[in-house]
Structures are given as structure tokens and as C-alpha cells.
Coordinates of all heavy atoms in Angstrom, one line a residue:
M8 N 53.8 62.6 71.5 CA 53.4 63.9 70.8 C 52.7 63.5 69.5 O 52.8 62.4 69.0 CB 54.7 64.7 70.5 CG 55.5 65.0 71.8 SD 56.7 66.3 71.5 CE 55.8 67.8 71.8
V9 N 51.9 64.5 69.0 CA 51.2 64.4 67.8 C 51.5 65.6 66.9 O 51.7 66.7 67.5 CB 49.7 64.2 68.0 CG1 49.1 65.4 68.6 CG2 49.0 63.8 66.7
A10 N 51.7 65.3 65.6 CA 52.1 66.4 64.7 C 51.1 67.6 64.8 O 49.9 67.4 64.9 CB 52.1 65.9 63.3
A11 N 51.7 68.8 64.8 CA 50.9 70.0 64.7 C 51.0 70.5 63.2 O 51.7 70.0 62.4 CB 51.5 71.0 65.6
E12 N 50.3 71.6 62.9 CA 50.2 72.1 61.6 C 51.6 72.4 61.0 O 51.9 72.2 59.8 CB 49.3 73.4 61.5 CG 47.8 73.0 61.6 CD 47.0 74.3 61.5 OE1 47.4 75.2 60.8 OE2 45.9 74.2 62.0
G13 N 52.5 73.0 61.9 CA 53.8 73.4 61.4 C 54.8 72.2 61.1 O 55.8 72.4 60.5
A14 N 54.3 71.0 61.4 CA 55.2 69.8 61.2 C 55.5 69.6 59.7 O 56.5 69.0 59.4 CB 54.5 68.6 61.7
A15 N 54.6 70.0 58.8 CA 54.9 69.9 57.4 C 56.1 70.5 57.0 O 56.8 70.1 56.1 CB 53.7 70.3 56.6
K16 N 56.5 71.7 57.6 CA 57.7 72.5 57.3 C 59.0 71.6 57.6 O 60.0 71.9 56.9 CB 57.7 73.7 58.1 CG 56.6 74.7 57.8 CD 56.7 75.9 58.7 CE 55.5 76.8 58.6 NZ 55.5 77.8 59.5
S17 N 58.9 70.7 58.5 CA 60.0 69.9 58.8 C 59.9 68.5 58.2 O 60.7 67.5 58.5 CB 60.2 69.7 60.3 OG 59.2 68.9 60.8
C18 N 59.0 68.3 57.2 CA 58.7 67.0 56.6 C 58.3 66.0 57.6 O 58.7 64.8 57.6 CB 59.9 66.6 55.7 SG 60.3 67.7 54.3
Y19 N 57.7 66.5 58.7 CA 57.2 65.6 59.8 C 58.4 65.0 60.5 O 58.2 63.9 61.0 CB 56.1 64.6 59.3 CG 54.9 65.4 58.8 CD1 54.7 65.7 57.5 CD2 53.9 65.8 59.7 CE1 53.6 66.4 57.0 CE2 52.8 66.5 59.3 CZ 52.7 66.8 58.0 OH 51.6 67.5 57.5
S20 N 59.5 65.6 60.5 CA 60.7 65.0 61.2 C 60.8 65.8 62.5 O 60.9 67.0 62.5 CB 61.9 65.2 60.4 OG 63.0 64.8 61.0
V21 N 60.8 65.0 63.6 CA 61.0 65.7 64.9 C 62.0 64.8 65.7 O 62.1 63.6 65.5 CB 59.6 65.7 65.7 CG1 59.8 66.2 67.1 CG2 58.6 66.4 64.9
N22 N 62.8 65.4 66.5 CA 63.8 64.7 67.3 C 63.1 63.5 68.0 O 62.0 63.6 68.5 CB 64.5 65.6 68.3 CG 63.5 66.4 69.1 OD1 62.6 67.0 68.6 ND2 63.7 66.4 70.4
H23 N 63.8 62.4 68.2 CA 63.3 61.2 68.9 C 63.7 61.2 70.3 O 63.3 60.2 71.0 CB 63.7 59.9 68.1 CG 65.2 59.7 68.2 ND1 66.1 60.3 67.3 CD2 65.9 59.0 69.0 CE1 67.3 59.9 67.6 NE2 67.3 59.1 68.7
G24 N 64.4 62.1 70.8 CA 64.8 62.2 72.2 C 65.2 63.5 72.6 O 65.1 64.5 71.8
A25 N 65.8 63.6 73.8 CA 66.2 65.0 74.3 C 67.5 65.4 73.7 O 67.8 66.6 73.5 CB 66.4 64.9 75.8
G26 N 68.4 64.5 73.3 CA 69.6 64.9 72.7 C 70.7 65.1 73.8 O 70.3 65.4 75.0
R27 N 71.9 64.9 73.5 CA 73.0 64.9 74.5 C 73.3 66.3 74.9 O 73.4 67.2 74.1 CB 74.2 64.2 73.9 CG 74.0 62.7 73.6 CD 75.3 62.0 73.4 NE 75.9 61.8 74.6 CZ 75.7 60.8 75.5 NH1 74.8 60.0 75.3 NH2 76.4 60.7 76.6
R28 N 73.6 66.5 76.2 CA 74.1 67.7 76.7 C 75.6 67.7 76.9 O 76.3 68.7 76.9 CB 73.4 68.0 78.1 CG 73.7 69.3 78.7 CD 72.8 69.5 79.9 NE 72.8 68.5 80.9 CZ 73.1 68.7 82.2 NH1 73.5 70.0 82.6 NH2 73.2 67.8 83.0
M29 N 76.2 66.5 77.1 CA 77.6 66.3 77.1 C 78.0 65.0 76.4 O 77.2 64.1 76.3 CB 78.1 66.3 78.6 CG 77.6 65.2 79.4 SD 78.3 65.2 81.1 CE 77.3 66.5 81.9
G30 N 79.1 65.0 75.8 CA 79.6 63.9 75.1 C 79.8 62.6 76.0 O 79.9 62.8 77.2
R31 N 79.9 61.5 75.4 CA 80.0 60.2 76.2 C 81.3 60.2 77.1 O 81.2 60.0 78.3 CB 80.0 59.1 75.3 CG 78.7 58.8 74.6 CD 78.7 57.5 73.8 NE 77.5 57.4 73.1 CZ 76.3 56.9 73.6 NH1 76.3 56.6 74.9 NH2 75.2 56.8 72.9
K32 N 82.4 60.6 76.5 CA 83.6 60.6 77.3 C 83.6 61.6 78.4 O 84.1 61.4 79.5 CB 84.8 60.7 76.4 CG 85.0 59.5 75.5 CD 86.2 59.7 74.6 CE 86.3 58.4 73.7 NZ 87.2 58.6 72.6
D33 N 83.0 62.8 78.1 CA 82.9 63.8 79.1 C 82.0 63.4 80.2 O 82.4 63.6 81.4 CB 82.3 65.1 78.4 CG 82.5 66.3 79.3 OD1 83.4 66.4 80.1 OD2 81.6 67.2 79.2
A34 N 80.9 62.7 79.9 CA 80.0 62.2 80.9 C 80.7 61.2 81.9 O 80.6 61.2 83.1 CB 78.8 61.6 80.3
I35 N 81.5 60.3 81.2 CA 82.2 59.3 82.0 C 83.2 60.0 83.0 O 83.3 59.5 84.1 CB 82.9 58.3 81.1 CG1 81.8 57.4 80.3 CG2 83.9 57.4 81.8 CD1 82.4 56.6 79.2
R36 N 83.8 61.0 82.5 CA 84.8 61.7 83.4 C 84.1 62.5 84.5 O 84.6 62.6 85.6 CB 85.7 62.7 82.5 CG 86.8 62.0 81.8 CD 87.8 63.0 81.2 NE 87.1 64.0 80.2 CZ 87.0 63.8 78.9 NH1 87.5 62.7 78.4 NH2 86.4 64.6 78.1
R37 N 83.0 63.2 84.2 CA 82.5 64.2 85.1 C 81.4 63.6 86.0 O 81.2 64.2 87.1 CB 81.9 65.3 84.2 CG 82.9 66.1 83.5 CD 82.3 67.2 82.6 NE 81.3 68.0 83.3 CZ 80.5 68.8 82.7 NH1 80.5 68.9 81.4 NH2 79.6 69.5 83.4
L38 N 80.6 62.7 85.6 CA 79.5 62.2 86.4 C 79.9 61.2 87.5 O 80.8 60.4 87.2 CB 78.4 61.7 85.5 CG 77.8 62.6 84.5 CD1 76.7 61.9 83.7 CD2 77.2 63.8 85.2
D39 N 79.2 61.2 88.6 CA 79.6 60.4 89.7 C 78.6 59.1 89.7 O 77.4 59.4 89.8 CB 79.5 61.2 91.0 CG 79.6 60.4 92.3 OD1 80.8 59.9 92.4 OD2 78.7 60.2 93.1
Q40 N 79.2 58.0 89.8 CA 78.4 56.8 89.7 C 77.4 56.6 90.9 O 76.3 56.3 90.7 CB 79.3 55.5 89.7 CG 78.5 54.2 89.5 CD 78.0 54.1 88.1 OE1 78.7 54.3 87.1 NE2 76.7 53.9 88.0
A41 N 77.9 57.0 92.1 CA 77.1 56.8 93.3 C 75.9 57.8 93.2 O 74.7 57.4 93.6 CB 77.8 57.2 94.5
T42 N 76.1 59.0 92.7 CA 75.0 60.0 92.5 C 74.0 59.4 91.5 O 72.7 59.5 91.7 CB 75.5 61.3 92.1 OG1 76.5 61.8 93.1 CG2 74.4 62.3 91.9
I43 N 74.4 58.9 90.4 CA 73.5 58.3 89.4 C 72.7 57.2 90.0 O 71.5 57.2 89.8 CB 74.3 57.8 88.2 CG1 75.1 58.9 87.4 CG2 73.4 57.0 87.2 CD1 76.1 58.5 86.4
D44 N 73.3 56.3 90.7 CA 72.6 55.2 91.3 C 71.6 55.7 92.3 O 70.4 55.2 92.3 CB 73.6 54.3 92.0 CG 74.5 53.5 90.9 OD1 74.2 53.5 89.7 OD2 75.6 53.1 91.4
Q45 N 71.9 56.7 93.1 CA 71.0 57.2 94.1 C 69.8 57.9 93.4 O 68.7 57.8 93.9 CB 71.7 58.2 95.0 CG 72.7 57.6 96.0 CD 73.6 58.6 96.7 OE1 73.5 59.8 96.4 NE2 74.4 58.1 97.6
E46 N 70.1 58.7 92.4 CA 69.0 59.4 91.7 C 68.0 58.4 91.0 O 66.8 58.6 91.1 CB 69.6 60.3 90.6 CG 70.2 61.6 91.2 CD 71.0 62.4 90.2 OE1 71.1 62.0 89.0 OE2 71.4 63.5 90.6
L47 N 68.5 57.3 90.4 CA 67.7 56.3 89.8 C 66.8 55.6 90.9 O 65.6 55.4 90.7 CB 68.5 55.4 88.9 CG 69.1 55.9 87.7 CD1 70.0 54.8 87.0 CD2 68.1 56.4 86.7
D48 N 67.5 55.3 92.0 CA 66.8 54.6 93.1 C 65.7 55.5 93.7 O 64.6 55.1 94.0 CB 67.8 54.3 94.2 CG 67.2 53.4 95.2 OD1 66.5 52.4 94.9 OD2 67.4 53.6 96.4
A49 N 66.0 56.9 93.8 CA 65.0 57.8 94.3 C 63.8 57.9 93.4 O 62.7 58.2 94.0 CB 65.7 59.1 94.5
C50 N 64.0 57.7 92.2 CA 62.9 57.7 91.2 C 62.2 56.3 91.0 O 61.3 56.2 90.2 CB 63.3 58.3 89.9 SG 63.8 60.0 89.9
D51 N 62.7 55.4 91.8 CA 62.2 54.0 91.7 C 62.4 53.4 90.3 O 61.5 52.7 89.8 CB 60.8 53.9 92.2 CG 60.3 52.5 92.6 OD1 61.2 51.8 93.1 OD2 59.1 52.2 92.6
I52 N 63.5 53.7 89.7 CA 63.8 53.1 88.4 C 64.8 52.0 88.6 O 65.9 52.1 89.2 CB 64.5 54.2 87.5 CG1 63.4 55.3 87.2 CG2 64.9 53.6 86.1 CD1 64.0 56.5 86.4
L53 N 64.5 50.8 88.0 CA 65.3 49.6 88.0 C 66.1 49.5 86.7 O 65.7 49.9 85.7 CB 64.5 48.4 88.1 CG 63.5 48.3 89.3 CD1 62.7 47.0 89.2 CD2 64.3 48.3 90.6
S54 N 67.3 49.0 86.8 CA 68.2 48.9 85.7 C 68.8 47.4 85.7 O 68.9 46.8 86.8 CB 69.4 49.9 85.7 OG 70.3 49.5 84.7
N55 N 69.1 46.9 84.5 CA 69.7 45.5 84.5 C 71.2 45.6 84.7 O 71.9 44.6 84.6 CB 69.3 44.8 83.2 CG 70.0 45.5 82.0 OD1 70.1 46.7 82.0 ND2 70.3 44.7 81.0
C56 N 71.8 46.8 84.9 CA 73.2 47.0 85.0 C 73.6 47.0 86.5 O 72.9 47.5 87.3 CB 73.6 48.3 84.4 SG 73.2 48.4 82.7
R57 N 74.8 46.4 86.8 CA 75.4 46.6 88.1 C 75.7 48.0 88.4 O 75.5 48.5 89.5 CB 76.6 45.7 88.3 CG 76.2 44.2 88.3 CD 77.4 43.3 88.4 NE 76.9 42.0 88.2 CZ 77.4 40.9 88.8 NH1 78.3 41.1 89.7 NH2 76.9 39.7 88.5
Q58 N 76.2 48.7 87.4 CA 76.5 50.1 87.4 C 75.9 50.7 86.1 O 76.3 50.3 85.1 CB 78.0 50.4 87.5 CG 78.6 50.0 88.8 CD 80.1 50.6 88.9 OE1 80.8 50.5 87.9 NE2 80.4 51.1 90.0
Y59 N 75.0 51.6 86.3 CA 74.3 52.2 85.2 C 75.4 53.0 84.4 O 76.2 53.7 85.0 CB 73.2 53.2 85.7 CG 72.3 53.7 84.6 CD1 71.2 52.9 84.3 CD2 72.6 54.8 83.9 CE1 70.3 53.3 83.3 CE2 71.7 55.3 83.0 CZ 70.6 54.5 82.7 OH 69.7 54.9 81.7
P60 N 75.4 52.8 83.1 CA 76.5 53.5 82.3 C 76.4 55.0 82.5 O 75.4 55.7 82.2 CB 76.1 53.1 80.9 CG 75.2 52.0 81.0 CD 74.5 52.1 82.3
K61 N 77.5 55.6 82.9 CA 77.6 57.0 83.1 C 77.2 57.8 81.9 O 76.6 58.9 82.0 CB 79.0 57.5 83.6 CG 79.3 57.0 85.0 CD 80.7 57.6 85.3 CE 81.3 57.0 86.6 NZ 82.6 57.7 86.8
D62 N 77.7 57.3 80.7 CA 77.4 58.1 79.5 C 76.0 58.0 79.1 O 75.6 58.7 78.1 CB 78.4 57.6 78.4 CG 78.2 56.1 78.0 OD1 77.8 55.3 79.0 OD2 78.4 55.8 76.9
E63 N 75.1 57.2 79.7 CA 73.7 57.2 79.5 C 72.9 57.8 80.6 O 71.7 57.7 80.6 CB 73.3 55.8 79.2 CG 73.8 55.2 77.9 CD 73.1 55.9 76.7 OE1 71.9 56.2 76.7 OE2 73.8 56.2 75.7
A64 N 73.5 58.3 81.6 CA 72.8 58.9 82.7 C 72.0 60.1 82.3 O 72.3 60.8 81.4 CB 73.8 59.3 83.8
P65 N 70.9 60.3 83.0 CA 70.0 61.4 82.7 C 70.7 62.8 82.6 O 70.4 63.6 81.7 CB 69.0 61.4 83.8 CG 68.9 60.0 84.2 CD 70.3 59.4 84.1
D66 N 71.7 63.0 83.5 CA 72.4 64.3 83.5 C 73.3 64.5 82.2 O 73.7 65.6 81.9 CB 73.3 64.5 84.7 CG 72.5 64.8 85.9 OD1 71.3 65.2 85.8 OD2 73.0 64.6 87.0
A67 N 73.5 63.4 81.4 CA 74.3 63.6 80.2 C 73.4 64.1 79.1 O 73.9 64.4 78.0 CB 74.8 62.2 79.8
Y68 N 72.1 64.2 79.3 CA 71.1 64.6 78.3 C 70.5 65.9 78.6 O 70.4 66.3 79.8 CB 70.0 63.5 78.1 CG 70.5 62.3 77.4 CD1 71.1 61.3 78.1 CD2 70.4 62.2 76.0 CE1 71.6 60.2 77.5 CE2 71.0 61.1 75.4 CZ 71.6 60.1 76.1 OH 72.0 59.0 75.5
K69 N 69.9 66.6 77.6 CA 69.2 67.8 77.8 C 68.0 67.6 78.6 O 67.4 66.5 78.7 CB 68.8 68.4 76.5 CG 70.0 68.8 75.6 CD 69.5 69.2 74.2 CE 70.7 69.5 73.3 NZ 70.2 69.7 71.9
D70 N 67.5 68.7 79.3 CA 66.2 68.7 80.0 C 65.1 68.3 79.1 O 64.8 69.1 78.2 CB 66.0 70.0 80.7 CG 64.8 70.0 81.6 OD1 63.7 70.1 81.0 OD2 64.9 69.8 82.8
F71 N 64.5 67.2 79.3 CA 63.4 66.7 78.4 C 62.2 67.7 78.3 O 61.7 67.9 77.2 CB 63.0 65.3 78.7 CG 62.2 64.6 77.7 CD1 62.8 64.4 76.4 CD2 60.9 64.3 77.9 CE1 62.1 63.8 75.4 CE2 60.1 63.7 76.8 CZ 60.7 63.4 75.6
D72 N 61.8 68.2 79.5 CA 60.7 69.1 79.4 C 61.0 70.4 78.6 O 60.1 70.9 77.9 CB 60.3 69.6 80.9 CG 59.7 68.4 81.7 OD1 59.0 67.6 81.1 OD2 59.9 68.3 82.9
E73 N 62.2 70.9 78.6 CA 62.6 72.0 77.8 C 62.5 71.6 76.3 O 62.2 72.4 75.5 CB 64.0 72.6 78.2 CG 64.0 73.2 79.6 CD 63.0 74.4 79.6 OE1 62.9 75.2 78.7 OE2 62.2 74.5 80.6
V74 N 63.0 70.4 76.0 CA 63.0 70.0 74.6 C 61.5 69.9 74.1 O 61.2 70.3 73.0 CB 63.7 68.6 74.4 CG1 63.5 68.1 73.0 CG2 65.2 68.8 74.8
L75 N 60.6 69.3 74.9 CA 59.2 69.3 74.6 C 58.6 70.7 74.4 O 57.9 70.9 73.4 CB 58.4 68.5 75.7 CG 58.6 67.1 75.8 CD1 57.8 66.5 77.0 CD2 58.4 66.3 74.6
K76 N 59.0 71.6 75.2 CA 58.5 73.0 75.1 C 59.0 73.6 73.7 O 58.2 74.3 73.1 CB 59.0 73.9 76.2 CG 58.3 73.6 77.6 CD 58.8 74.5 78.6 CE 58.4 74.0 80.0 NZ 59.1 74.8 81.0
S77 N 60.2 73.3 73.4 CA 60.7 73.9 72.2 C 60.1 73.3 70.9 O 59.8 74.1 69.9 CB 62.3 73.7 72.1 OG 62.6 72.4 71.9
V78 N 59.8 72.0 70.9 CA 59.1 71.4 69.8 C 57.7 72.0 69.7 O 57.2 72.3 68.6 CB 59.0 69.9 70.0 CG1 58.1 69.3 69.0 CG2 60.4 69.3 69.9
K79 N 57.0 72.2 70.8 CA 55.7 72.8 70.8 C 55.7 74.3 70.3 O 55.0 74.7 69.5 CB 55.0 72.7 72.2 CG 53.6 73.2 72.3 CD 53.0 72.9 73.6 CE 51.5 73.4 73.6 NZ 50.8 73.2 74.8
R80 N 56.7 75.0 70.9 CA 56.9 76.5 70.4 C 57.1 76.6 69.0 O 56.7 77.6 68.3 CB 58.0 77.1 71.2 CG 57.6 77.7 72.6 CD 58.6 78.6 73.2 NE 60.0 78.0 73.3 CZ 60.5 77.4 74.3 NH1 59.8 77.3 75.4 NH2 61.6 76.9 74.3
A81 N 57.9 75.6 68.4 CA 58.2 75.6 67.0 C 57.0 75.2 66.2 O 57.0 75.3 64.9 CB 59.4 74.7 66.7
G82 N 55.9 74.8 66.8 CA 54.7 74.4 66.0 C 54.8 73.1 65.3 O 54.1 72.8 64.4
L83 N 55.7 72.2 65.8 CA 55.9 70.9 65.2 C 55.0 69.8 65.8 O 54.5 69.0 65.0 CB 57.4 70.5 65.3 CG 58.4 71.4 64.7 CD1 59.8 70.9 65.1 CD2 58.2 71.5 63.2
A84 N 54.7 69.9 67.1 CA 53.9 68.8 67.7 C 53.4 69.3 69.0 O 53.9 70.3 69.6 CB 54.8 67.6 67.8
T85 N 52.5 68.6 69.5 CA 51.9 68.9 70.9 C 51.9 67.5 71.7 O 51.8 66.4 71.1 CB 50.5 69.4 70.8 OG1 49.7 68.5 70.1 CG2 50.4 70.7 70.1
T86 N 52.1 67.7 73.0 CA 52.1 66.5 73.9 C 50.7 66.0 74.1 O 49.8 66.7 74.4 CB 52.7 66.9 75.2 OG1 54.0 67.5 75.0 CG2 52.8 65.7 76.1
V87 N 50.6 64.7 73.9 CA 49.3 64.0 74.2 C 49.4 63.1 75.4 O 48.4 62.8 76.0 CB 48.7 63.3 72.9 CG1 48.4 64.3 71.9 CG2 49.7 62.2 72.5
A88 N 50.6 62.6 75.7 CA 50.8 61.7 76.9 C 52.2 61.8 77.3 O 53.1 62.1 76.6 CB 50.4 60.3 76.6
K89 N 52.4 61.6 78.7 CA 53.8 61.5 79.2 C 53.9 60.2 80.0 O 53.0 59.9 80.8 CB 54.1 62.7 80.1 CG 54.3 64.0 79.3 CD 54.6 65.1 80.3 CE 56.1 65.2 80.5 NZ 56.5 66.4 81.2
L90 N 54.9 59.4 79.7 CA 55.2 58.2 80.3 C 56.4 58.3 81.3 O 57.2 59.1 81.1 CB 55.5 57.1 79.3 CG 54.4 56.9 78.2 CD1 55.0 55.9 77.2 CD2 53.1 56.4 78.8
K91 N 56.4 57.5 82.3 CA 57.5 57.6 83.3 C 58.2 56.2 83.2 O 57.6 55.1 83.3 CB 56.9 57.8 84.7 CG 58.0 57.8 85.8 CD 57.4 57.9 87.2 CE 58.5 57.9 88.1 NZ 58.1 57.2 89.4
A92 N 59.5 56.3 83.0 CA 60.3 55.0 83.0 C 60.3 54.3 84.3 O 60.3 55.0 85.4 CB 61.8 55.4 82.6
Q93 N 60.2 53.0 84.3 CA 60.2 52.2 85.5 C 61.3 51.1 85.4 O 61.7 50.7 86.4 CB 58.8 51.6 85.8 CG 57.8 52.7 86.1 CD 56.5 52.1 86.6 OE1 56.1 51.0 86.3 NE2 55.9 52.9 87.5
V94 N 61.6 50.7 84.2 CA 62.7 49.8 84.0 C 63.5 50.2 82.9 O 63.1 50.8 81.8 CB 62.1 48.4 83.6 CG1 63.2 47.4 83.4 CG2 61.2 47.9 84.8
V95 N 64.9 50.1 83.0 CA 65.8 50.5 82.0 C 66.7 49.3 81.7 O 67.3 48.7 82.6 CB 66.7 51.7 82.4 CG1 67.7 52.0 81.4 CG2 65.8 52.9 82.8
I96 N 66.7 48.9 80.4 CA 67.6 47.8 80.0 C 68.6 48.3 79.1 O 68.4 49.0 78.1 CB 66.7 46.7 79.2 CG1 65.7 46.2 80.2 CG2 67.6 45.6 78.7 CD1 64.7 45.2 79.5
K97 N 69.9 48.0 79.5 CA 71.0 48.6 78.7 C 71.9 47.4 78.2 O 72.1 46.4 78.9 CB 71.9 49.5 79.6 CG 71.2 50.8 80.0 CD 71.1 51.7 78.8 CE 70.4 52.9 79.1 NZ 70.1 53.7 77.9
D98 N 72.5 47.6 77.0 CA 73.4 46.6 76.5 C 74.7 46.7 77.2 O 75.2 47.8 77.5 CB 73.6 47.0 75.0 CG 74.4 45.9 74.2 OD1 75.2 45.2 74.9 OD2 74.3 45.8 73.0
G99 N 75.4 45.6 77.4 CA 76.6 45.6 78.2 C 77.9 45.9 77.4 O 78.9 46.0 77.9
D100 N 77.7 46.0 76.0 CA 78.9 46.3 75.2 C 79.3 47.7 75.4 O 78.6 48.6 75.8 CB 78.5 46.2 73.7 CG 78.3 44.7 73.3 OD1 78.8 43.8 74.1 OD2 77.7 44.4 72.3
K101 N 80.6 48.0 75.2 CA 81.2 49.3 75.3 C 80.7 50.2 74.2 O 80.4 49.7 73.1 CB 82.7 49.3 75.3 CG 83.3 48.5 76.5 CD 84.8 48.7 76.5 CE 85.4 48.0 77.7 NZ 86.1 48.9 78.6
A102 N 80.7 51.5 74.4 CA 80.3 52.4 73.4 C 81.2 52.3 72.3 O 82.4 52.1 72.4 CB 80.2 53.9 74.0
D103 N 80.7 52.6 71.0 CA 81.6 52.4 69.9 C 82.1 53.8 69.3 O 82.5 53.9 68.2 CB 80.9 51.7 68.7 CG 79.5 52.2 68.5 OD1 79.0 53.1 69.2 OD2 79.0 51.8 67.5
D104 N 82.2 54.7 70.3 CA 82.8 56.0 69.8 C 84.0 56.3 70.6 O 84.5 56.8 71.2 CB 81.8 57.2 69.9 CG 81.3 57.5 71.3 OD1 81.4 56.6 72.2 OD2 80.8 58.6 71.5

């Protein structure tokens, strides 16, 4: 994204990601590991984890397209390019919350 005229109102501060839709512990309880693995495989996304961390699964986060739309509607920024993840590298340490 690139800053739009309205970005000055937020001191050029824009969210750096989609933001969580569910807390880490809630995601671990509610999300299914097999479904996560199948969804990543269907999108041809590779991970360095034997089991992708449930608390980092896409379903634990807000819909990214909706977040982009809200940033644009707020006049903060406009999209100039979209990238598609192909490899995901995760740290093996436990979450610290």
C-alpha cells in the first residue's frame, strides 16, 4: 500500500497486518490441525513446521481483503501490489502469552 492524502491524520500510521480475529488460546482450542494443513496444502503454501501453529492459522486472523478495504475507505492508503505467500517460516518456541 501507499499513503493516501488522509494518512497525515493518522501520522502515517497504518496497521501492519490483518489483526487477530480470535485470541491465541481460543484458536488453539477451536481450530482443527488437519483442516489447517489441508487449507495450506490446497493453496500450495509450504511451512517449516511439522504442524503449523494453530494460533497462527489464517482463520485466527481477520479477513485481509476486508482490512485493506477499510484502510482504503478511511483514506489512509491505496493498494499498489498484492503478494501471495508461498513459504511460511515459523519459530518453534511456544507463544509467550
